[in-house]
Structure formats: structure tokens, C-alpha cells
Amino acid sequence: MLTSRGPALCTALRRAAPGGLASFHSSARRCRAARVAVVLSGCGVYDGTEIHEASAVLVHLSRGGAEVQMYAPDVPQMHVIDHSKGQPAEAESRNVLVESARIARGKISSLAKLTTAEHDAVIFPGGFGAAKNLSTFAVDGKDCKVNREVERVLKDFHKAGKPIGLCCISPVLAAKVLSGAEVTVGHEEEEGGKWPYAGTAGAIKELGAKHCVKEVTISFPGSFHVGRQFRNVTLKSVLLHIDFDGNMQRVADSSGAVQD
């Protein structure tokens, strides 16, 4: 994790770049200056970005010395959920970029401005916004469509051989637009409520991607998945959906695994 091993994001960058960090920076010694884009999907687990995951990602990146810029698509949300009731707020309409600015404290740009030339890696925190606002997976499953800018970003980073971090449900985005990608959303069978979204693994397979069964915790090796240099790019995904029993450390530690 970044908390124990310093700017460990650099490790992922080295793995992804055959020429080392020099291929990303003018000076390979400026490891702490890694530039990372974080793509948000709104603000709130049920209709946008999972705030705890986003915060944990940002903390780990900060501790690793990365320069972070946040982005979100400038589009309407699929719908708005009243999080106190877990029900749609029928009369409300919100914008994904505007809502994401809450997490970014206003320092956010339209996803249309995100380019691989200005960043060394990209990370997508989880939350239902990835399946509702960045794609239509929540409604259409394997037949979903991915937001045009999201698809462009994934393909551009993939083509450039730069790391892509995928949290929680967001691996479905790569599964849809990057043929043959290896990702994980945890287990493939529901086990007494522990894996309520295990069915997503089946959809990932139907999309043509390879699903790798992994655990939710990161207390031992193998809890998250690193793609095998899929076409020269490191795809990293980790399941962050847990039953919230108050143990926020697990969320923070799992988020850090994406950048390790």
C-alpha cells in the first residue's frame, strides 16, 4: 500500500512502461510527480461515485506524491436517489460534472478535456454512477453502452500502455470497451449475502472479458487483480463493494491496492 511503501504508484508505472518512468516523464527521477487522472461519476453511492472509495483513492495518491486531477462527464445523471430512503427522487435532475465537483471541492474538469499526454495513469472509483452515468450497465447489462468520453479515455490509455485502475463495479467499463481484458468484481457466486452482485461476473464474461475470482480484503496476496500486461497496459481492478459494517479501514486499504 502507499501508506507503507511510499509512492508505490511508481511501481505500477514501471510495470506498464517497457522503457521505465522515462517514457512517462522528462526525468525518471521525478517519481513523486506521477500525474494521475481520477474519473468521477457523481456524488453518492446509489447514483454516483462511492464517496468513501473516492476519498480513499485520493488519500493514497496524495501520500504517494502524485499530482491528481479529477474529471467527470458533463452529462445528466440517469436519475437521482434520495440516499436517506434509497428511493428515486422523481422530481429531481442533476448533472454528473456538477455533482462530482462536490468531491473535488470544485477543482474538476469535463472528461472531454482528459488526455493521455497529460497523465500517467487513470483511476475510476466505484459507485453505481459507473453503471448508471458512465455507462448503461445498470439497465442494459451486457448490452450496455459506455459514455463516449469514457470509452475514449479507456482506449487511449490502453493504446498508450498506461495503467488503468478500476474499483468496485467500474471494471465492467473496461470489459465492455477493451476486448479480452482481465478484471475482477470478486466472486462469481452469491454466498449468504457476502457477494450480492456476483451476477456481474457473468455479464463480464458475456462481454468477452476474463473474470478472475478474488477476495474483498487485501490482508493476503491475491485479493486484487493485475492484468497480465494486456496489450502492454496494466489493468488493475479491485472489489471494493463490502457490507458496510463500520470497518472503513478495509475500504481505504482496498483502494490503496489499486495504486500499489
Side-chain angles (χ1 to χ4, degrees):
M1 299 183 301
L2 293 181
T3 52
S4 60
R5 294 207 291 267
L9 176 63
C10 299
T11 301
L13 295 176
R14 289 192 184 96
R15 293 191 190 118
L21 287 175
S23 62
F24 289 136
H25 308 291
S26 59
S27 171
R29 293 176 297 179
R30 293 298 301 274
C31 184
R32 291 181 62 81
R35 300 165 299 176
V36 182
V38 176
V39 179
L40 304 178
S41 59
C43 182
V45 60
Y46 298 125
D47 59 10
T49 301
E50 212 297 325
I51 300 172
H52 297 124
E53 291 176 17
S55 298
V57 165
L58 295 172
V59 167
H60 280 280
L61 288 172
S62 176
R63 285 177 174 168
E67 295 179 1
V68 178
Q69 174 62 47
M70 284 171 269
Y71 296 87
D74 187 2
V75 297
Q77 289 186 184
M78 187 189 92
H79 61 183
V80 177
I81 296 294
D82 179 340
H83 281 59
S84 69
K85 300 177 180 178
Q87 300 175 351
E90 301 294 346
E92 290 193 49
S93 177
R94 300 186 184 183
N95 179 278
V96 176
L97 178 60
V98 172
E99 290 301 295
S100 298
R102 295 175 180 271
I103 297 175
R105 291 187 173 186
K107 296 181 180 180
I108 193 168
S109 299
S110 170
L111 188 58
K113 298 181 179 180
L114 172 54
T115 67
T116 56
E118 297 179 349
H119 298 86
D120 304 316
V122 62
I123 297 177
F124 291 78
F128 281 94
K132 294 180 177 181
N133 304 326
L134 303 188
S135 72
T136 63
F137 183 79
V139 176
D140 300 322
K142 68 180 180 63
D143 297 318
C144 68
K145 295 181 180 179
V146 174
N147 174 275
R148 180 177 59 185
E149 293 299 334
V150 172
E151 180 173 0
R152 175 188 62 79
V153 167
L154 287 170
K155 289 183 174 179
D156 285 354
F157 273 81
H158 172 250
K159 183 178 180 180
K162 296 184 177 183
I164 301 170
L166 304 159
C167 304
C168 192
I169 192 65
S170 64
V172 300
L173 302 173
K176 177 65 177 182
V177 304
L178 301 178
S179 178
E182 295 182 11
V183 298
T184 184
V185 291
H187 282 208
E188 297 179 355
E189 295 183 7
E190 201 281 326
E191 301 172 10
K194 184 178 181 181
W195 306 98
Y197 304 111
T200 301
I204 285 175
K205 293 179 180 179
E206 292 182 28
L207 287 170
K210 179 180 179 179
H211 182 262
C212 302
V213 175
K214 298 293 175 180
E215 297 296 330
V216 64
T217 63
I218 65 165
S219 57
F220 54 89
S223 57
F224 61 96
H225 180 68
V226 180
R228 297 180 179 275
Q229 292 297 93
F230 170 62
R231 295 185 185 175
N232 298 319
V233 65
T234 300
L235 291 176
K236 306 190 74 175
S237 62
V238 57
L239 178 70
L240 292 182
H241 180 87
I242 62 174
D243 50 345
F244 280 92
D245 54 4
N247 191 343
M248 292 307 301
Q249 180 179 344
R250 288 194 294 172
V251 178
D253 288 350
S254 297
S255 299
V258 177
Q259 295 129 94
D260 190 4

